[in-house]
Amino acid sequence: MKYTSSHWGSYQFEPGGPLLPLASDPDPSRIGRGWASASQDRQSRILHPAIRLGWLDGDRGRNRCGDSYVTVSWDRAIALAADALGETVAAHGNGAVFGGSYGWSSAGRFHHAQSQMRRFLNLAGGCVSARNTYSHAAAEVLYPHILGLSNKAFQDQMTAMPLVAAHCEVLLAVGGISRRTAQITSSGTTTHEVGSWLEQMRANGTRIIALSPARSEAATEWLSIRPGTDTACLLALAHEIHSAGLADEAFLARCTSGWETFRDYLTGAADGTPKTADWAAPICDLDAQVIRDLARDLAVSKSMIAVAWSLQRAEYGEQPLWAGLALASLIGQIGQPGTGYAFGYGSTTPVGRAARLIPWPSMPQGRNPVDDDIPVARIADMLLHPGGIYKYDGKTRTYPDIKLIWWTGGNPFHHHQDLNRLEEAWTRPETVIVNDHSWTATARRADIVLPATSPLERDDILMNRRDPTLLWMSRYHAPLSEALDDYEIFARLSETMGFGDAFTEGRDTAGWLAWLWERSQEVAHAHGFALPDLNSFRAAGRFDIPDAAQARIALADFVANPTTHALATETGRITLTNAGIGALGLPSCPGHPTWIEPTECLTRAQPDELHLISGQPDTRLHSQNDRGSEALADKIKGREAASFHPDTAAERGLIAGDIVRLYNRRGACLAGVRLNDGLRRDCVSLPTGAWFDPQIVQGERLEVHGNPNALTRDAGCSELSQGNIAHSCLVRAEKWTAAVPELTIDTPPVVAP
Ligand SMILES: Nc1nc2c(c(=O)[nH]1)N[C@H]1C(S)=C(S)[C@@H](COP(=O)(O)OP(=O)(O)OC[C@H]3O[C@@H](n4cnc5c(=O)[nH]c(N)nc54)[C@H](O)[C@@H]3O)O[C@H]1N2
Ligand SMILES: Nc1nc2c(c(=O)[nH]1)N[C@H]1C(S)=C(S)[C@@H](COP(=O)(O)OP(=O)(O)OC[C@H]3O[C@@H](n4cnc5c(=O)[nH]c(N)nc54)[C@H](O)[C@@H]3O)O[C@H]1N2
Ligand SMILES: [Mo]
């Protein structure tokens, strides 16, 4: 038996046989069903190195979006890429090279695309990088201030979900809780357990209340809140608990700071507006009595306030996180088993996994000599405004002037918001180089395209610090055509640029895998167990870590003794009011949790506008495997399906299977129509990840495949975190009655050499 692994799960196969989910995985992901077909699809894989015609003609990027390509030999592609980098650095310095290259690439410890690229660019003198993520930037910036913990550290100590199942009576799932997103683990997983924890909760009688515009299949109750208004609801819950005299004053005094100031805001003493249930009800479109009842139930039960990651991918996205933490503080059950406050249950598999954490080694990337970066979602701003000033986490910063972009293992023409704006920005640099295995929308907007192998084409090791199992990943099929491993691509580039030995240190892939295994053996030893030698591991394919279970309770030490285990915040306590943030004077992120009406919100929409929810797709990881069988089978007339409440569809004359045009002032896209009575009437849900395919149709620029980022707004959550605001977006919808345009994204953009 051989094994391989991915962010959506692990697989076993006999050579030549089908790829099957690991027999020990209780709940394999559906995403994997489309993996092998996507990896072997010659229409979407990049088969040869390719160069954009306009770039060869010296257009310096003007025609970068929509051009054709000629294929070239590897030698020529490597020479062109090395020259472009060398010339950029000579003329403008390494501060003109952008290697932020955000993206999930693939699992496997060695062939991690960004690590390979950073190791190469660092040896070439460095690059401007990117900080934070599209997943949870607001949390990454906010938590150190209010909790004294990085988001990663907080995630690592997240209260184990089995403890929630054992102890919690009321789980308020803000943003819902879903097996859809729980299919995924960054770096790979060998098991999916979120579904079974949720079943256990239901069996134990835990109320799982989804506060969300969409029903959660796992929830026992659904409070259908208007998107973007959760902060108002959470504040009202806190107000009602306080005014009923149910707040845990002892906990507030012992473990928090700034309660008095926050309380004055809640009661209206500060601004004349008490944040009552009656105040919140019309904002959130919830019944005031329902909010009051929930407040009481939360206060008198064993309760957990769990906020989904999606909540902060929105304008003022810091606020619901902070308001949720404040609410949990009033309830006073933080630090106890199965109750308190959590962030991201179900958003990926391992959040709340009771796993032993083992810091496995990774590929050394070296040091970046360039000390400059941007908050990751400010890429278009950076390209459009070199030298421009912006605020971030209390600092005033300047955008660099980028002449060359290198992207490896990410797809900004999937992940960024307002892709029409990104297209404009993307024409500014002189050169764009992309390594990918597939002709994604980003590869189709590069000047030099370097075909990488897919993970099914190489050996690697799955090691994830939160996973109970190590796997030797074996090649499943031979590399398609001329694809090379990213490692090999960067090794050849390094050789050409004169630092080949520094990059490879004399090792080939097998040599590095052995090197990683030796380091892993040392790590295991330090944790009290032994790993087999490499040959035995490779033969067995799998190693299960002993005593892998370890249930944690977030903030337990701190709550047990707030003085000895003071948090690294300005007061050593959970800050319900934060003087440091307040002193920044940011209207977009004041000094305590605050309701601020988003720019695009149904509270101020026209009657025919809908709120667009663009969550993660059930059939893919973002844009990965979009051309695989599972994602294709889910499309409607080849388009991504948008879900509407049946009444909303009927009002617009839409029936299931129709094609709809979604539009706003930023753009328009087509999508298939699906009906879902588990969605609010004033919302439309279009998952992310359909390969971006903009065309001019009837004189209009129209994305014809169903990519929601043709519509979303490109702005920061706030001037604190500058995270993306994908979920804050209004659109209109109308039936598409003309002929449905052909896709262009399903054929390679290559002309004969
Ligand atoms: N509207 C909207 N937009 C969103 C979101 C949302 O909620 N709504 N969510 C955001 C979030 S949370 C995220 S994390 C981002 C995700 O955005 P990305 O991480 O950029 O999305 P992926 O499709 O996973 O892109 C990974 C790319 O790496 C390539 N790749 C895979 N393996 C390899 C390899 O070994 N070598 C090379 N060279 N390439 C490889 C894949 O082909 C793919 O093109 O999207 C964000 N965008
Ligand atoms: N299948 C699959 N799973 C994935 C991924 C994938 O691509 N595919 N990507 C992974 C990644 S990178 C990430 S970051 C996580 C993201 O995990 P999440 O951020 O938890 O997932 P989303 O799909 O963005 O969440 C969308 C849900 O949030 C709710 N929601 C949206 N707006 C609001 C709002 O204003 N208020 C409330 N209360 N609820 C709202 C809606 O119910 C919607 O269904 O998912 C991971 N899991
Ligand atoms: Mo993400």
Side-chain angles (χ1 to χ4, degrees):
M1 188 63 70
K2 307 245 179 238
Y3 300 96
T4 188
S5 192
S6 66
H7 299 302
W8 48 85
S10 297
Y11 294 82
Q12 57 189 49
F13 61 94
E14 298 294 351
L19 202 57
L20 299 169
L22 215 60
S24 53
D25 185 346
D27 190 13
S29 154
R30 69 181 286 197
I31 297 172
R33 295 184 215 150
W35 190 15
S37 55
S39 179
Q40 295 173 94
D41 175 28
R42 300 182 72 87
Q43 284 298 99
S44 57
R45 287 291 303 272
I46 305 168
L47 300 176
H48 308 281
I51 313 293
R52 190 173 65 78
L53 287 173
W55 186 79
L56 286 172
D57 290 343
D59 77 359
R60 299 171 82 83
R62 250 190 336 276
N63 192 30
R64 188 164 282 135
C65 304
D67 207 350
S68 299
Y69 291 78
V70 282
T71 59
V72 296
S73 68
W74 264 113
D75 283 350
R76 177 138 162 79
I78 294 284
L80 286 172
D83 283 353
L85 179 61
E87 284 164 19
T88 304
V89 169
H92 308 284
N94 284 79
V97 177
F98 184 69
S101 194
Y102 179 81
W104 269 59
S105 58
S106 43
R109 206 63 170 186
F110 175 65
H111 292 289
H112 181 245
Q114 281 88 359
S115 303
Q116 299 290 354
M117 190 193 82
R118 286 187 193 124
R119 182 172 166 87
F120 163 72
L121 285 178
N122 288 346
L123 286 167
C127 62
V128 176
S129 55
R131 60 163 66 201
N132 305 139
T133 63
Y134 277 74
S135 309
H136 34 49
E140 290 164 62
V141 177
L142 182 68
Y143 281 153
H145 293 282
I146 66 169
L147 268 180
L149 289 170
S150 70
N151 180 59
K152 180 166 179 267
F154 184 44
Q155 218 181 100
D156 278 354
Q157 57 167 278
M158 203 68 70
T159 299
M161 277 185 91
L163 290 177
V164 180
H167 299 281
C168 179
E169 293 165 338
V170 184
L171 170 65
L172 179 63
V174 187
I177 197 160
S178 166
R179 283 174 61 238
R180 169 180 53 84
T181 43
Q183 295 180 81
I184 294 298
T185 301
S186 171
S187 304
T189 186
T190 55
T191 180
H192 294 87
E193 8 20 0
V194 171
S196 63
W197 295 328
L198 291 168
E199 269 165 38
Q200 233 174 297
M201 285 180 208
R202 282 194 301 267
N204 292 355
T206 309
R207 290 171 64 193
I208 308 176
I209 305 174
L211 182 70
S212 171
R215 185 161 48 210
S216 287
E217 81 282 0
T220 58
E221 293 164 55
W222 178 27
L223 293 183
S224 172
I225 191 169
R226 196 176 260 155
T229 67
D230 302 83
T231 304
C233 180
L234 294 165
L235 292 171
L237 290 168
H239 180 281
E240 295 300 331
I241 288 174
H242 167 64
S243 63
L246 293 172
D248 187 336
E249 296 288 345
F251 182 90
L252 290 166
R254 223 167 61 85
C255 296
T256 73
S257 62
W259 161 230
E260 295 74 14
T261 306
F262 177 56
R263 186 189 58 206
D264 287 351
Y265 171 71
L266 283 184
T267 59
D271 64 355
T273 306
K275 310 302 175 301
T276 59
D278 288 316
W279 164 80
I283 299 173
C284 307
D285 192 23
L286 292 171
D287 187 290
Q289 192 54 42
V290 169
I291 299 176
R292 277 188 289 269
D293 290 347
L294 177 60
R296 194 204 50 242
D297 291 351
L298 288 170
V300 301
S301 313
K302 290 189 173 173
S303 316
M304 171 65 92
I305 310 299
V307 182
W309 289 353
S310 57
L311 267 282
Q312 45 86 72
R313 236 174 286 122
E315 196 173 21
Y316 316 125
E318 295 87 354
Q319 302 311 314
L321 301 195
W322 203 353
L325 178 63
L327 172 61
S329 298
L330 264 81
I331 298 170
Q333 300 172 11
I334 294 172
Q336 297 174 25
T339 60
Y341 175 71
F343 179 55
Y345 281 158
S347 292
T348 53
T349 325
V351 181
R353 176 181 273 174
R356 196 169 166 188
L357 302 174
I358 301 184
W360 299 114
S362 49
M363 190 63 186
Q365 297 176 15
R367 200 184 63 82
N368 185 357
V370 175
D371 180 22
D372 194 6
D373 60 30
I374 57 162
V376 68
R378 299 279 53 81
I379 170 105
D381 286 354
M382 170 187 78
L383 296 173
L384 289 168
H385 306 294
I389 305 287
Y390 67 100
K391 288 185 186 165
Y392 168 75
D393 199 10
K395 299 186 186 66
T396 300
R397 304 167 120 226
T398 307
Y399 287 120
D401 188 358
I402 296 300
K403 304 293 184 193
L404 183 145
I405 294 177
W406 205 311
W407 219 291
T408 303
N411 187 2
F413 280 92
H414 143 67
H415 68 228
H416 195 60
Q417 287 56 61
D418 196 351
L419 290 177
N420 294 320
R421 181 170 187 259
L422 182 63
E423 277 214 333
E424 167 62 27
W426 199 252
T427 61
R428 302 296 169 91
E430 291 168 6
T431 303
V432 177
I433 306 175
V434 165
N435 299 26
D436 206 303
H437 50 64
S438 296
W439 275 115
T440 62
T442 302
R444 287 165 201 257
R445 284 160 182 75
D447 304 321
I448 303 175
V449 181
L450 305 175
T453 48
S454 101
L456 288 176
E457 294 162 333
R458 51 204 191 207
D459 293 347
D460 208 330
I461 303 175
L462 167 80
M463 9 187 195
N464 182 344
R465 45 198 275 286
R466 298 183 284 188
D467 203 83
T469 302
L470 305 179
L471 289 182
W472 175 265
M473 296 164 58
S474 293
R475 173 188 279 192
Y476 177 67
H477 65 83
L480 252 63
S481 196
E482 288 193 276
L484 291 179
D485 296 347
D486 290 295
Y487 176 70
E488 177 65 25
I489 296 171
F490 289 118
R492 290 191 191 187
L493 280 157
S494 301
E495 182 69 34
T496 305
M497 295 187 74
F499 48 83
D501 291 344
F503 183 81
T504 64
E505 297 181 30
R507 293 185 192 95
D508 58 7
T509 295
W512 277 108
L513 290 173
W515 182 91
L516 277 171
W517 191 250
E518 272 168 38
R519 305 280 95 63
S520 308
Q521 287 175 312
E522 290 161 15
V523 170
H525 184 73
H527 283 76
F529 61 96
L531 290 181
D533 63 73
L534 182 60
N535 284 338
S536 312
F537 172 56
R538 202 165 34 209
R542 164 173 191 152
F543 177 82
D544 293 298
I545 295 161
D547 309 320
Q550 211 171 76
R552 282 170 292 272
I553 300 173
L555 302 169
D557 291 345
F558 160 69
V559 172
N561 193 335
T563 307
T564 332
H565 295 282
L567 299 174
T569 60
E570 60 187 20
T571 56
R573 306 287 192 265
I574 295 169
T575 64
L576 302 188
T577 304
N578 189 288
I581 293 177
L584 300 175
L586 304 175
S588 55
C589 190
H592 56 68
T594 303
W595 160 246
I596 316 171
E597 189 180 39
T599 312
E600 295 198 17
C601 188
L602 290 164
T603 46
R604 51 164 79 169
Q606 297 300 312
D608 62 336
E609 283 182 305
L610 301 170
H611 189 104
L612 174 70
I613 297 168
S614 52
Q616 310 293 17
D618 197 21
T619 58
R620 299 180 287 267
L621 172 63
H622 317 128
S623 69
Q624 301 193 43
N625 297 349
D626 188 42
R627 308 311 299 162
S629 56
E630 191 69 8
L632 289 175
D634 198 54
K635 296 191 194 240
I636 293 174
K637 299 186 177 130
R639 316 303 136 138
E640 193 67 17
S643 297
F644 294 84
H645 189 278
D647 296 350
T648 312
E651 273 169 23
R652 289 163 177 77
L654 295 168
I655 56 168
D658 275 353
I659 297 294
V660 65
R661 176 173 167 271
L662 301 174
Y663 62 102
N664 59 22
R665 64 188 167 76
R666 289 177 292 272
C669 76
L670 299 183
V673 173
R674 186 163 286 160
L675 303 183
N676 177 1
D677 64 6
L679 186 69
R680 280 179 63 94
R681 285 178 175 74
D682 48 13
C683 291
V684 49
S685 171
L686 177 62
T688 61
W691 284 11
F692 183 59
D693 195 350
Q695 301 178 12
I696 302 296
V697 180
Q698 299 175 352
E700 181 199 45
R701 201 179 142 76
L702 180 69
E703 201 286 321
V704 304
H705 191 193
N707 186 310
N709 284 325
L711 304 162
T712 50
R713 188 169 152 230
D714 179 13
C717 289
S718 74
E719 289 186 304
L720 189 81
S721 74
Q722 296 286 6
N724 80 79
I725 61 161
H727 282 307
S728 299
C729 177
L730 295 175
V731 298
R732 291 185 164 86
E734 64 178 17
K735 188 174 168 122
W736 179 261
T737 51
V740 184
E742 298 279 322
L743 295 177
T744 64
I745 203 81
D746 57 358
T747 45
V750 180
V751 294

